[in-house]
């Protein structure tokens, strides 16, 4: 700093433009130089450069603290990001497991439905076969009953045409006697 002041004092270029001797109080350039030197001296007396250095150091410390805080926040953000990415991956894996489980359950339900359908079809076929057998048995029974009725009617005609009235009266009397014996 002292060298700067000495250099400033040695190079009074504007002083060459002024008239008269340089080291005179009538020379404005000399007065300005003296005022400037006095101003610098007052600044050094009141330790302004030290205060400015302290303020700059304090500002540098504040900036460093802010940088450290920003670095800590960045690290915390990266940690949170990693945590959320891990959670997202876990959720995606869980969703994949849920989808796979749903597919397995759907396949199992489809297989069960096929089995139930097969059983239902088998029951319905069995029921239809039973109905057919029952209808067939009913038809056979009806045909047999009709055949019996026809045979009885034919036998009655044959008996009526081949038997005489006296034979018929004897048969009736025998039937009455049999019934009388059985009732008493």
């Amino acid at each position: 700093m002292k060298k700067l002041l000495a250099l400033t004092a040695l190079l009074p270029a504007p002083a060459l433009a002024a008239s008269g001797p340089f080291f005179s109080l009538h020379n404005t350039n000399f007065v300005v130089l003296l005022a400037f030197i006095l101003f610098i001296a007052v600044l050094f007396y009141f330790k302004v450069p030290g205060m400015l250095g302290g303020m700059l150091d304090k500002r540098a410390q504040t900036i460093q603290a802010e940088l450290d805080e920003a670095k800590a926040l960045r690290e915390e953000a990266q940690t949170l990001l990693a945590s959320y990415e891990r959670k997202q991956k876990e959720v995606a894996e869980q969703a994949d497991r849920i989808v796979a489980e749903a597919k397995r359950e759907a396949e199992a339900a489809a297989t069960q439905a096929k089995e139930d359908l097969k059983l239902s079809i088998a029951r319905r076929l069995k029921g239809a076969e039973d109905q057919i057998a029952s209808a067939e048995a009913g038809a056979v029974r009806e045909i047999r009953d009709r055949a019996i009725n026809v045979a009885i009617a034919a036998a009655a005609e044959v008996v009526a045409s081949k038997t005489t009235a006296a034979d018929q009266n004897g048969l009736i009397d025998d039937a009455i006697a049999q019934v009388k014996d059985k009732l008493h």
Side-chain angles (χ1 to χ4, degrees):
M1 189 73 160
K2 290 181 182 181
K3 289 181 182 182
L4 181 63
L5 287 175
L7 184 63
T8 306
L10 291 177
L11 296 174
L16 297 176
S19 62
F22 181 73
F23 292 108
S24 164
L25 289 178
H26 294 289
N27 189 344
T28 56
N29 292 335
F30 181 67
V31 172
V32 170
L33 177 65
L34 286 179
F36 180 71
I37 292 171
L38 180 65
F39 176 72
I40 297 295
V42 168
L43 288 178
F44 277 108
Y45 178 75
F46 288 112
K47 300 179 182 174
V48 172
M51 289 172 40
L52 286 176
M55 288 172 60
L56 288 175
D57 288 343
K58 185 177 179 183
R59 179 67 181 144
Q61 289 174 351
T62 304
I63 290 172
Q64 186 62 40
E66 288 176 357
L67 287 173
D68 292 342
E69 182 180 352
K71 185 177 181 181
L73 287 174
R74 182 174 183 256
E75 290 174 359
E76 182 180 343
Q78 286 179 337
T79 304
L80 282 173
L81 177 64
S83 171
Y84 285 128
E85 286 175 349
R86 188 172 51 252
K87 285 180 182 179
Q88 181 186 14
K89 185 177 178 182
E90 289 173 1
V91 167
E93 289 173 357
Q94 185 178 10
D96 290 342
R97 285 193 306 269
I98 289 171
V99 167
E101 181 65 26
K103 284 182 181 178
R104 282 193 298 273
E105 288 178 2
E107 290 172 0
T111 304
Q112 183 63 36
K114 286 179 184 177
E115 291 297 321
D116 291 345
L117 183 62
K118 286 179 184 177
L119 290 175
S120 175
I121 290 172
R123 280 195 307 267
R124 287 185 181 197
L125 284 175
K126 177 71 173 149
E129 289 172 357
D130 290 345
Q131 285 180 347
I132 291 170
S134 174
E136 191 176 296
V140 168
R141 196 176 26 247
E142 187 177 324
I143 290 172
R144 189 180 314 133
D145 289 344
R146 234 183 225 170
I148 290 172
N149 287 337
V150 169
I152 290 174
E157 275 184 37
V158 168
V159 169
S161 64
K162 296 224 174 176
T163 58
T164 61
D167 289 337
Q168 288 176 355
N169 285 338
L171 287 173
I172 291 173
D173 289 339
D174 287 340
I176 292 173
Q178 285 177 1
V179 171
K180 194 186 261 184
D181 288 340
K182 288 184 181 179
L183 289 177
H184 292 305

